[in-house]
Amino acid sequence: MTSVDFNFTEPIASFYDSVDAGMTTSPADIGSVKKSDFVVLNGRPFKVVEITHSKPGRHGPSKVHLVGIDIFTGRRHEDVRPVGHIIQVPKVDKKDYILVSIANDGYTTLLDEDTCQIRSDLSIQDSDTARRLRDKYEKGNGQINVTVLKALSEEQIVAFKVID
C-alpha cells in the first residue's frame, strides 16, 4: 500500500482563485441580492427583475428564487439557490458616446466627448434598437447620443437619444 503525501499548509482553494484577474466580477451572498441588481447566471450578465425568499423547511435551508433578464439579449432566466450560496456580481459600465457614422457592415464610429477619442470597433446588433438607430441616423435630423453597456468583456449599444 502506498501513502499519499498531503501538505496541510497549502490551501486547496482560496477566495482569490475564484475572482477574475481583471476584476470583471466579484462574489456576493445571494441573500443580499435585491431587485434591479446585476448577477451572473450561466456565464451571462443578468438584471434581477424579481426575487423571492422561501422559508426554511424540513428538507433544507431557505431558498432564493431569482428571475433575471439578460442585459444584452433580453432573454429571461430563472434560478433557485440556497440562501448561503455565493453568486458572482458583474461590473457593469455605462458610457455615452456621440454617433459619428454607421457603416454598411453595421460597425459604428463613436466619439467620446470626454477624451475626444474615436472608436470604430462596436457593431450594432440585429435588434429593434439597432433598426430604430439606423433609421434616425439615415434621416439626419440631429446629433445622436448612444449609451453603451459593458459587462463580462461584452459591449453593446442599448439606448440612444436624438439631440436637435
Side-chain angles (χ1 to χ4, degrees), residues 45-105:
F46 284 86
K47 183 173 185 175
V48 177
V49 293
E50 185 179 325
I51 188 164
T52 56
H53 296 267
S54 67
K55 294 181 180 178
R58 292 191 327 225
H59 301 290
S62 59
K63 305 274 191 291
V64 175
H65 179 252
L66 289 171
V67 179
I69 303 292
D70 190 314
I71 63 175
F72 296 123
T73 65
R75 291 189 178 151
R76 179 185 167 107
H77 182 76
E78 296 185 30
D79 199 9
V80 177
R81 297 186 185 191
V83 167
H85 200 261
I86 299 295
I87 193 165
Q88 294 295 317
V89 176
K91 180 182 176 202
V92 179
D93 293 326
K94 184 190 258 187
K95 182 98 173 111
D96 291 329
Y97 294 94
I98 296 174
L99 179 67
V100 177
S101 67
I102 300 176
N104 291 336
D105 59 357

Side-chain angles (χ1 to χ4, degrees), residues 28-39 48 51 53 64 66 87-89:
D29 182 31
I30 197 164
S32 66
V33 173
K34 297 177 182 57
K35 189 175 177 180
S36 77
D37 284 350
F38 295 103
V39 296
V48 177
I51 188 164
H53 296 267
V64 175
L66 289 171
I87 193 165
Q88 294 295 317
V89 176

Side-chain angles (χ1 to χ4, degrees), residues 78-143:
E78 296 185 30
D79 199 9
V80 177
R81 297 186 185 191
V83 167
H85 200 261
I86 299 295
I87 193 165
Q88 294 295 317
V89 176
K91 180 182 176 202
V92 179
D93 293 326
K94 184 190 258 187
K95 182 98 173 111
D96 291 329
Y97 294 94
I98 296 174
L99 179 67
V100 177
S101 67
I102 300 176
N104 291 336
D105 59 357
Y107 280 92
T108 59
T109 302
L110 304 173
L111 173 67
D112 185 355
E113 282 185 299
D114 299 334
T115 62
C116 294
Q117 296 278 330
I118 291 182
R119 63 181 288 189
S120 300
D121 60 342
L122 196 59
S123 174
I124 55 174
Q125 306 297 324
D126 216 13
S127 66
D128 183 49
T129 304
R131 283 188 288 279
R132 290 186 297 122
L133 176 61
R134 190 178 285 276
D135 288 343
K136 293 289 184 185
Y137 173 73
E138 289 172 357
K139 288 181 184 175
N141 291 341
Q143 177 179 325

